[in-house]
C-alpha cells in the first residue's frame, strides 16, 4: 500500500472534496480521483460516495479513515526516529595541553555540543609525551598538542595552526616599553610559568639552554588564564601564546616585551594514530574545530 495514497484519502475526507485535497497536496483533481480509486480497488470496497459534486464518506470509509490517520502518525514517528538515529553519535576520548583546553573548551565546546548533542566526550590534560603514549596505547582517540611542530609517520595530522608566543608583563612593570631587550636581560626576573616540560615552556627552556641560560620561576602552574590574572597584580613575567593573552592586552591589562633574540612559534595540532579508524564522531570533531582553528 502506497503511503501517499493514504495521505490523499485523508486529505479528501478532511477538506471535503477532490479539488480542495488536490490543491493542498499539489495534485491535479484527476490524480486525486485515481488514487482514491486505487485504494478502493485494493480494499475491495467503496470509501467515498460521489453525489452531485459532493462527497460522503461511507461506513467503510470512516473505518479506513481512522486506520489511515493512525498509520500516517506512526509513519511520521518512524521517519523522525530514523532521522535521529542517523545523527552523528558516539564517544570521543581526547588528550590535550591545558592551554588548549582553556582556549577551546568553553564557548567553543558549547557550540560543538549544540551541533553534535549525541557525541560524548572525555578530555584529559597532560604533556605532549604522555599524550602520544596514550595515543599509541589506544587510550585516547585523538590528541591536540601545543608544541613545536610535530611530524611523525606514526601519526596523522588532521588539522594544525601556527601560534605566536611572547613574554608578557603588566603595563606598570619596569621593563614595559623598553626596546632591545634580550633573554639575558630578563632571565633573572621573577617568572610565573607553566610546568616544566609542558608544551611552549619546553620550547622556551630549549631556547634558553642554547644561550646557557636558565629561568627559575617563582611559581609554576598549569592554568595560563590564572597566570594572566596574577601578572596584572604583580611585577612578574610570563611566556604565553597570543591567544591566551590577547584579551588582557586588548584591555590594556598586559603588554608584550620586545625580546630580540627569542622569536618562538608553536603549533596547535590535532593528530590521530595512522592506523586509527576515523569514526563519524572523530570526523565531526575535526571538521568543527578545523574551522575554528583557521
Amino acid at each position: 500500500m502506497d503511503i501517499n495514497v493514504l495521505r490523499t484519502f485523508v486529505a479528501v475526507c478532511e477538506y471535503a472534496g477532490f479539488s480542495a485535497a488536490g490543491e493542498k497536496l499539489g495534485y491535479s483533481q484527476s490524480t486525486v480521483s485515481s488514487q482514491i480509486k486505487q485504494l478502493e480497488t485494493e480494499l475491495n470496497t467503496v470509501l467515498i460516495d460521489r453525489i452531485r459534486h459532493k462527497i460522503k464518506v461511507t461506513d467503510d470509509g470512516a473505518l479506513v479513515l481512522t486506520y489511515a490517520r493512525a498509520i500516517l502518525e506512526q509513519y511520521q514517528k518512524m521517519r523522525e526516529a530514523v532521522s535521529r538515529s542517523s545523527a552523528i553519535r558516539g564517544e570521543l576520548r581526547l588528550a590535550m595541553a591545558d592551554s588548549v583546553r582553556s582556549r577551546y573548551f568553553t564557548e567553543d565546546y558549547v557550540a560543538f555540543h549544540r551541533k553534535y548533542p549525541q557525541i560524548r566526550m572525555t578530555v584529559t590534560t597532560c604533556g605532549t609525551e604522555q599524550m602520544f603514549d596514550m595515543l599509541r596505547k589506544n587510550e585516547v582517540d585523538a590528541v591536540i598538542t601545543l608544541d613545536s611542530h610535530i611530524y611523525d609517520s606514526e601519526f596523522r595530522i588532521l588539522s594544525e595552526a601556527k601560534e605566536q608566543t611572547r613574554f608578557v608583563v603588566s603595563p606598570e612593570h619596569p621593563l614595559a616599553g623598553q626596546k632591545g631587550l634580550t633573554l639575558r636581560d630578563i632571565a633573572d626576573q621573577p617568572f610565573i610559568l607553566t610546568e616544566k616540560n609542558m608544551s611552549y615552556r619546553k620550547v622556551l627552556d630549549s631556547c634558553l639552554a642554547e644561550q646557557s641560560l636558565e629561568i627559575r620561576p617563582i611559581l609554576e602552574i598549569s592554568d595560563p588564564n590564572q597566570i594572566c590574572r596574577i601578572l596584572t597584580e604583580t611585577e612578574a613575567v610570563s611566556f604565553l601564546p597570543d591567544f591566551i593573552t590577547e584579551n588582557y592586552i586588548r584591555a590594556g591589562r598586559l603588554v608584550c616585551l620586545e625580546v630580540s633574540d627569542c622569536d618562538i612559534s608553536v603549533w596547535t595540532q590535532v593528530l590521530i594514530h595512522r592506523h586509527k579508524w576515523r569514526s563519524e564522531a572523530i570526523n565531526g570533531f575535526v571538521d568543527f574545530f578545523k574551522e575554528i582553528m583557521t
Side-chain angles (χ1 to χ4, degrees):
M1 182 175 293
D2 189 343
I3 200 76
N4 290 319
V5 172
L6 289 181
R7 190 176 288 114
T8 299
F9 172 67
V10 171
V12 169
C13 296
E14 290 180 347
Y15 294 101
F18 285 52
S19 296
E23 184 176 346
K24 182 67 177 178
L25 298 174
Y27 296 153
S28 66
Q29 182 175 340
S30 62
T31 298
V32 173
S33 179
S34 175
Q35 289 187 352
I36 298 302
K37 185 63 177 176
Q38 176 185 338
L39 185 59
E40 288 178 327
T41 300
E42 188 171 347
L43 296 176
N44 193 29
T45 188
V46 176
L47 303 175
I48 294 175
D49 279 335
R50 306 159 182 82
I51 304 173
R52 295 180 181 178
H53 304 293
K54 293 184 178 181
I55 68 166
K56 182 177 182 301
V57 179
T58 65
D59 290 343
D60 283 348
L63 180 64
V64 171
L65 178 61
T66 300
Y67 281 107
R69 284 173 171 158
I71 291 170
L72 290 172
E73 181 180 356
Q74 292 301 314
Y75 176 74
Q76 182 60 29
K77 288 181 178 178
M78 178 183 68
R79 285 177 58 88
E80 291 173 358
V82 170
S83 177
R84 286 194 298 270
S85 69
S86 63
I88 294 177
R89 62 180 65 202
E91 295 187 4
L92 192 57
R93 304 164 302 164
L94 303 174
M96 64 188 65
D98 198 65
S99 296
V100 172
R101 178 199 55 78
S102 298
R103 181 182 191 182
Y104 291 119
F105 281 79
T106 49
E107 291 87 353
D108 291 330
Y109 171 74
V110 171
F112 174 81
H113 177 67
R114 286 174 179 159
K115 185 171 183 180
Y116 301 107
Q118 297 186 61
I119 293 181
R120 298 181 299 279
M121 189 180 295
T122 302
V123 175
T124 301
T125 56
C126 55
T128 303
E129 291 183 8
Q130 185 179 350
M131 289 185 213
F132 285 108
D133 183 57
M134 296 175 72
L135 203 57
R136 289 184 181 96
K137 295 176 180 177
N138 197 31
E139 294 175 351
V140 294
D141 301 308
V143 301
I144 311 179
T145 65
L146 182 61
D147 211 318
S148 54
H149 192 271
I150 296 168
Y151 176 77
D152 188 320
S153 59
E154 188 177 3
F155 307 108
R156 184 181 304 163
I157 300 170
L158 302 184
S159 183
E160 60 183 13
K162 192 175 184 180
E163 315 280 5
Q164 186 67 41
T165 52
R166 307 175 203 269
F167 295 96
V168 289
V169 295
S170 74
E172 290 76 29
H173 194 283
L175 295 179
Q178 289 195 24
K179 305 292 185 181
L181 292 172
T182 66
L183 278 177
R184 195 168 297 277
D185 295 328
I186 67 171
D188 61 349
Q189 291 290 316
F191 267 84
I192 301 175
L193 298 173
T194 52
E195 299 103 317
K196 199 172 183 65
N197 296 321
M198 291 290 283
S199 59
Y200 46 89
R201 165 72 190 278
K202 181 176 64 176
V203 180
L204 171 62
D205 287 342
S206 296
C207 185
L208 288 162
E210 289 176 2
Q211 298 191 39
S212 301
L213 296 172
E214 182 183 9
I215 289 175
R216 302 176 72 86
I218 60 172
L219 175 63
E220 293 178 301
I221 190 168
S222 64
D223 187 346
N225 289 305
Q226 189 170 357
I227 293 175
C228 289
R229 291 191 292 270
I230 296 174
L231 291 180
T232 63
E233 303 293 334
T234 66
E235 289 191 353
V237 183
S238 191
F239 183 71
L240 297 166
D242 287 354
F243 67 78
I244 295 293
T245 61
E246 58 186 358
N247 289 335
Y248 287 87
I249 291 174
R250 191 179 298 118
R253 301 180 67 193
L254 293 177
V255 295
C256 295
L257 296 180
E258 295 183 12
V259 180
S260 59
D261 58 347
C262 186
D263 182 16
I264 295 177
S265 297
V266 291
W267 290 78
T268 299
Q269 293 179 281
V270 182
L271 304 101
I272 62 172
H273 197 279
R274 66 187 179 93
H275 295 310
K276 181 71 177 178
W277 173 66
R278 288 180 59 170
S279 66
E280 288 188 337
I282 292 175
N283 288 333
F285 171 80
V286 171
D287 290 344
F288 183 87
F289 279 95
K290 183 183 292 185
E291 185 174 346
I292 293 173
M293 288 170 63
T294 56

